[in-house]
Amino acid sequence: MIWSSLTSDWFWGCGRVLSAAIALADRGGFESLTMRKLAKELGVEAMSLYNRVASKDDLLDGMVDRVFGEIEPPSTGGDWKAAMRKRAISTREAPGGTAGRSA
C-alpha cells in the first residue's frame, strides 16, 4: 500500500486530500467518489492527484486507514460490555460514521 511508504511530510500534507475524499464519500457514498470530483473539491486538476496517489484504490486505502485510526481501540481489561459500547460510540463518531445523520 502506498500510504505506508510515503514520507511524513507527504503523509501530513495529504491530510487535506483524505479529509476531502472522506467528506465526499460521506455525502454521497463511495460510489459517488471520483478523482475528478475530488480534484474539483480541492481546486486542482484530476491528473495532479496521481502525482501522489497511484490509484483510486490507494486513495480508498488511505481513507480507511484514516477512519480506522480514529476509532478508539478496545480496552484490555475491565467490563467487556462497557468496552464494546465505548468502541461502538467511537466508531459512530469517526469520520464517515453515522453520528449526526438521520436514519
Side-chain angles (χ1 to χ4, degrees):
M1 176 168 65
I2 194 169
W3 296 100
S4 61
S5 63
L6 297 172
T7 65
S8 62
D9 287 342
W10 163 244
F11 183 78
W12 295 115
C14 77
R16 182 173 165 238
V17 173
L18 291 175
S19 293
I22 290 167
L24 282 173
D26 198 30
R27 287 193 301 261
F30 281 116
E31 303 81 24
S32 70
L33 176 64
T34 65
M35 297 302 267
R36 185 170 287 152
K37 286 180 185 177
L38 178 58
K40 184 177 180 181
E41 181 92 1
L42 294 167
V44 299
E45 295 293 323
M47 290 308 294
S48 67
L49 294 174
Y50 291 102
N51 290 324
R52 303 293 189 193
V53 180
S55 67
K56 184 177 175 183
D57 286 340
D58 284 334
L59 176 66
L60 294 174
D61 285 346
M63 293 166 62
V64 169
D65 286 349
R66 181 157 181 189
V67 170
F68 274 92
E70 294 188 22
I71 297 172
E72 189 173 325
S75 60
T76 56
D79 180 15
W80 70 269
K81 288 182 183 179
M84 290 301 293
R85 178 170 166 60
K86 190 174 183 179
R87 179 98 191 244
I89 291 168
S90 178
T91 302
R92 183 180 165 108
E93 292 174 347
T98 58
R101 285 194 213 158
S102 57

